Amino acid sequence: MTSTQAAPLQVVATFSIIGDMAGEVGGDLVDLKTLVAPDADAHVYEPRPADAMAIARADVVLTNGLEFEGFLSRLIAASGTDASIIALTDGLPTMEEPGGGHYHYVNGEAIFHAGAHDPHVWQSVENAKGYVANISAAFCAADADNCTQYQANAADYSARLDTLDAQIRASIDALPADRRTVVVAHNAFRYFEAAYGVTFLSPQGVSTEGEAAAADVAGLIREIRAANAGAIFGENISDTRLLERIGEETGLTLSGTLYSDALSGADGPAPTYIAMMRHNTSAITAALTAE
């Protein structure tokens, strides 16, 4: 789009968390399409022809980067788009992935997601502000006439993220030091752990079937007991069979659902990034303070 065009900026966001941030910065000035819907796992997403068409007509495509969207390179090539492809983690501090990747759990199977760096950068609110700054810069570069509005929207949103960050810190700081370990389905909360001081344990490559899985589960159970983990959570993008099995062995019952890689639908508890982080924090602190 040129600066003289009045039509909305055509924007594609790869998954729901980025889509929400893009909507906050772009408002009515952008026509936004999000590829991977709420409650869906971007790692296993199968693109549709309509996705290639949306990217083909886009001015800006917002991605997470760090190999999070494994489907994207082929989709962009197939679309033939001239859009600006923006990786929102560019310039942000990232953590290396131990073992070169992490596991997801789909239908009871462990699926390895390879990558040199942990892609779940948004799980720190300070990092989310970096996403917002990169979105604002991308929109300004594509639509200079409306840059002032994009920057104002980003500033307003960043101020609300500052408030969110302070609320999370206050909630976690109120927890006893020996009640800050929980169990989740996949290793997606390392940035939250580093920023706020909650330890997350998760299975690594354990499917729900087979003798080898039994041995690996036993190792995780020993780790859970040694760390005195206080709660176990499902995730909206994973099935809970493995966690239920771990809970049976450790005496922990599922304490609810955390939202890691995708928002909830509009009627759920995490329809926006801010609501997602508030819900996750509230669920964790409630579980760890329960008798």
Side-chain angles (χ1 to χ4, degrees):
M1 168 182 271
T2 69
S3 61
T4 58
Q5 290 177 280
L9 195 66
Q10 298 297 306
V11 176
V12 171
T14 50
F15 65 106
S16 55
I17 294 171
I18 287 178
D20 176 58
M21 294 177 179
E24 290 280 359
V25 177
D28 294 337
L29 297 173
V30 303
D31 183 2
L32 174 66
K33 176 178 175 58
T34 300
L35 300 183
V36 185
D39 293 318
D41 188 347
H43 291 304
V44 296
Y45 182 68
E46 294 291 339
R48 302 166 300 171
D51 297 336
M53 295 172 63
I55 288 179
R57 61 175 178 266
D59 301 301
V60 178
V61 177
L62 301 175
T63 80
N64 185 73
L66 302 180
E67 303 174 79
F68 181 74
E69 304 98 336
F71 62 88
L72 191 61
S73 295
R74 297 189 307 274
L75 185 60
I76 288 174
S79 73
T81 188
D82 293 324
S84 298
I85 312 298
I86 308 297
L88 297 180
T89 52
D90 278 358
L92 302 185
T94 58
M95 305 170 73
E96 292 186 359
E97 275 277 35
H102 65 278
Y103 287 90
H104 280 234
Y105 294 88
V106 180
N107 298 324
E109 294 298 320
I111 298 174
F112 188 66
H113 173 224
H117 291 85
D118 188 334
H120 309 93
V121 182
W122 61 84
Q123 286 292 345
S124 155
V125 176
E126 186 64 30
N127 288 343
K129 290 172 60 182
Y131 281 55
V132 173
N134 284 340
I135 292 169
S136 177
F139 289 176
C140 282
D143 181 16
D145 278 359
N146 290 309
C147 181
T148 299
Q149 188 61 56
Y150 296 132
Q151 291 173 332
N153 293 346
D156 174 76
Y157 187 40
S158 292
R160 286 183 278 139
L161 292 175
D162 282 335
T163 299
L164 172 68
D165 187 66
Q167 291 170 339
I168 295 173
R169 292 183 187 283
S171 296
I172 302 300
D173 288 349
L175 289 172
D178 61 349
R179 294 283 290 175
R180 296 189 180 187
T181 301
V182 301
V183 183
V184 291
H186 95 291
N187 203 14
F189 293 91
R190 295 172 67 230
Y191 292 93
F192 190 106
E193 180 174 314
Y196 305 114
V198 173
T199 299
F200 293 83
L201 303 178
S202 62
Q204 298 295 310
V206 182
S207 294
T208 54
E209 304 294 339
E211 295 181 359
D216 289 339
V217 169
L220 175 62
I221 289 170
R222 286 194 294 273
E223 187 179 8
I224 290 169
R225 288 172 173 159
N228 191 31
I232 186 167
F233 288 97
E235 292 177 49
N236 64 325
I237 60 166
S238 300
D239 66 60
T240 59
R241 282 175 286 178
L242 178 58
L243 293 175
E244 290 167 352
R245 178 177 167 186
I246 293 169
E248 291 172 358
E249 297 289 341
T250 58
L252 297 172
T253 56
L254 285 176
S255 298
T257 299
L258 299 184
Y259 293 78
S260 53
D261 293 12
L263 302 177
S264 72
D267 296 334
T272 68
Y273 173 77
I274 288 177
M276 179 188 81
M277 296 299 283
R278 282 186 176 144
H279 166 83
N280 287 350
T281 302
S282 176
I284 291 167
T285 55
L288 292 179
T289 54
E291 295 295 334

